[in-house]
Amino acid sequence: MTPNTLPQRLTSTIIIALAFSAPAWGKTPVASGTGGAVATISEPASQAALAILNKGGNAVDAAVAAAATLGVTDPFSCGVGGGGFMVIYLARENRVITLDHREVAPASFQSDAFASGGKAMDFDSAVASGMAVGVPGTVRGWHDALDRYGTMSFKQVLAPAIKVAQDGFKINDNFVALVKENEKKFALFPETAARYMRDGKALPAGTVLRNADLAKTYRLLSSGGVKAFYSGKLAQAIVDSVNRPPVAAGVSVRSGQMSLADLANYEARWRQPVRSSYRGYELVGMPLPSSGGVTIAEALNILEGFDLKSMPREKAEHLYMEAARLAFADRNAYLADPEYVDAPVAGLVSKEYAARRRELIDPTQAHHHAQPGDPYLFQQDPSVPLRPASAAKARLLSESAHTTHLAVSDKDGNIVAYTFTIESWGGSGITVPGYGFILNNEMTDFDFTGPHPNVPEAGKRPRSSMSPTIAFRNGKPAFTIGSPGGATIVTTVLQTIFNHIDLGMEMPAALNAPRISERNGQATSIEPGFADSMQARALERFGQRWDASAEEIGAANAIVFNPDGTVTAVSEGKRHGVGSALVQKRGH
Ligand code: GLU
């Protein structure tokens, strides 16, 4: 750090904060204090977690309570019809474990599920179909997490969600916007249309929405446990909805081929996290089949070789974008379900490989399109794993900004970072008749055509981007962060870490700052208003260029574990409506 460049960086940070972040700052949900903490994108969900913490539940109990409530208030992002990834820190044992409860392809699934004659089918028709539905993993995940590391039963943790589903909640503008975006898809499925629309149009904001069917489903789980979902009447209803989608008269969509055995055989997986270090922090994230942990580790390893603190902000941000571009070139080419593909993870996350990738960066000029590197040379034993016969084409899938993320900690210091989803907004669009939840379209996270490690296969889990992350410093939790947003999840988590650690922003500012998502596509994704900013102008001088269609990126939630033993929960002040950050005992 040189004495005269740091103030320059700070000055530009302040100007940019005033220009872009300040208006929302006042509204950013931030809560500091002691005891447990929670940050979610929904007030009822955060309240559900807090109620469970106040009843003596731990972070795992509270996370499931919040997730179940999000299934009610945010049914287009997540729910029991989907799957997810949970990172759990067990304070007493000082140990992190991850729970993969990603959806799997049914046993009948074929590699050409979304292609005909080697040509990929249209994405929207692939989404709104029974074929897109993977075997849901959420309930199995909740059960396994509670069973092994929770202290409460389904009955206790689902009670707050049942109450919200029964009593109803007021839908906000964001909810209405999501229905509007999905009017065509929802109209295909009368059960879904009837719940969220009137006469083919979204219900108005302020409508109190109840979901007695979902309350019934949660009650079934409360009394019958995990089996009530994966066998019996509910399982049959899921299979029927996939194999004969309940469509409106005259409509036809592709059906799937899911069996009762697919549901009965569904297993979640406990996996070792991806670990990496960054400027004195230890980062612990989600391993494959999520690409999140590996891609973030590679990008940070690349960035670590630059003295970012000594640079003007725009130069540091240019390097952040270039590191993300290189890491995405590898992510897009190599990563997939580890039970099917021997991906070169050790090479990708090695510091030596990052040093080689770093040499490709021009600190003054954007690269625009990066090729995947050769991480095989950096495996401990370079002959393992086998190299693919032909290099996969590095493609960017049609993934956009769906999903939800929540963070919970408890008074004993346990932490849960949990991202879960039904894939697209409104998933496949298919509501299971009489049960009140929407089925996922997670199978469209496969690459539709190959050769590629992430092509569809029976029993395989499609590659994900979900990135629940916990950072440690000196062996103690420092912060936890995660976000929705398809492939932009990776860059949102990466950029927030970069903002916090490298640009020195407090977590609320780090999270609030305009998001810039470079994923080695045609152009960098940005948020509305950014293209006209001074920050954008400064980056354009490095040759960076922006996607013309700006969209809100992500909806992050974080908790900071302060050195004085207090905790600070942080949510979004403007994205996805507004989030909710709470602590058990508020301090100053
Ligand atoms: N399907 C995405 C993934 O697993 C998450 C859904 C989304 O945010 O688009 O990465």
Side-chain angles (χ1 to χ4, degrees), residues 77 85 102 290 331 399-404 421-425 442 445 462-466 483-487 489:
S77 306
F85 296 98
R102 179 76 160 166
S290 180
R331 175 254 191 210
E399 298 168 52
S400 59
H402 331 96
T403 307
T404 198
T421 189
I422 55 172
E423 211 320 83
S424 296
W425 293 126
E442 214 68 54
D445 266 4
R463 181 190 62 213
S464 169
S465 300
M466 291 187 264
S483 177
I489 292 172

Side-chain angles (χ1 to χ4, degrees), residues 142-420:
W142 292 354
H143 168 270
D144 288 7
L146 286 176
D147 193 43
R148 201 174 292 200
Y149 301 116
T151 67
M152 289 183 167
S153 63
F154 263 158
K155 188 162 182 208
Q156 289 166 295
V157 301
L158 296 181
I162 292 173
K163 185 156 169 38
V164 178
Q166 245 170 221
D167 296 354
F169 65 98
K170 265 195 192 158
I171 62 173
N172 61 15
D173 291 338
N174 185 68
F175 191 103
V176 175
L178 292 181
V179 178
K180 282 196 174 141
E181 206 177 284
N182 274 295
E183 275 169 0
K184 246 168 85 187
K185 178 165 77 178
F186 289 175
L188 302 173
F189 307 105
E191 183 90 9
T192 310
R195 189 171 303 286
Y196 303 113
M197 309 200 301
R198 288 288 168 277
D199 306 321
K201 295 279 162 227
L203 295 170
T207 306
V208 174
L209 196 67
R210 297 182 179 80
N211 190 340
D213 289 350
L214 186 55
K216 177 184 93 178
T217 299
Y218 284 166
R219 270 196 216 94
L220 281 173
L221 302 181
S222 298
S223 56
V226 65
K227 276 198 189 138
F229 189 88
Y230 289 97
S231 59
K233 281 196 183 141
L234 178 41
Q236 186 65 56
I238 293 172
V239 164
D240 290 345
S241 305
V242 171
N243 298 348
R244 287 184 300 284
V247 287
V251 167
S252 101
V253 300
R254 291 178 80 212
S255 50
Q257 279 182 297
M258 195 180 285
S259 69
L260 285 172
D262 287 321
L263 280 155
N265 291 338
Y266 180 84
E267 286 178 355
R269 296 271 193 268
W270 294 103
R271 298 190 192 275
Q272 286 302 310
V274 172
R275 289 174 183 281
S276 57
S277 63
Y278 187 63
R279 303 193 201 278
Y281 288 83
E282 187 191 7
L283 290 157
V284 182
M286 205 61 221
L288 293 173
S290 180
S291 59
V294 174
T295 311
I296 289 168
E298 181 183 340
L300 289 175
N301 284 341
I302 295 171
L303 277 179
E304 202 173 35
F306 294 108
D307 183 9
L308 300 179
K309 277 200 179 346
S310 73
M311 298 173 186
R313 173 176 172 163
E314 55 271 22
K315 185 164 179 191
E317 281 183 334
H318 162 68
L319 295 173
Y320 146 72
M321 293 172 68
E322 297 302 295
R325 193 191 308 280
L326 287 162
F328 259 89
D330 288 334
R331 175 254 191 210
N332 297 344
Y334 294 118
L335 299 181
D337 185 342
E339 293 172 24
Y340 285 69
V341 173
D342 200 1
V345 169
L348 288 170
V349 302
S350 84
K351 298 278 186 197
E352 294 74 23
Y353 179 61
R356 194 65 67 86
R357 296 295 270 162
R358 196 180 306 124
E359 286 164 7
L360 300 174
I361 293 182
D362 181 341
T364 62
Q365 190 55 41
H367 200 76
H368 291 310
H369 193 76
Q371 294 301 321
D374 189 352
Y376 292 90
L377 296 171
F378 298 84
Q379 294 286 125
Q380 270 146 358
D381 172 354
S383 66
V384 181
L386 289 176
R387 286 162 189 267
S390 61
K393 269 181 266 148
R395 271 164 304 183
L396 192 63
L397 290 178
S398 317
E399 298 168 52
S400 59
H402 331 96
T403 307
T404 198
H405 175 81
L406 61 95
V408 186
S409 64
D410 64 29
K411 64 177 176 11
D412 298 319
N414 302 304
I415 305 165
V416 174
Y418 183 29
T419 316
F420 77 123

Side-chain angles (χ1 to χ4, degrees), residues 123-134:
F123 189 73
D124 288 345
S125 349
V127 167
S129 77
M131 190 65 92
V133 182

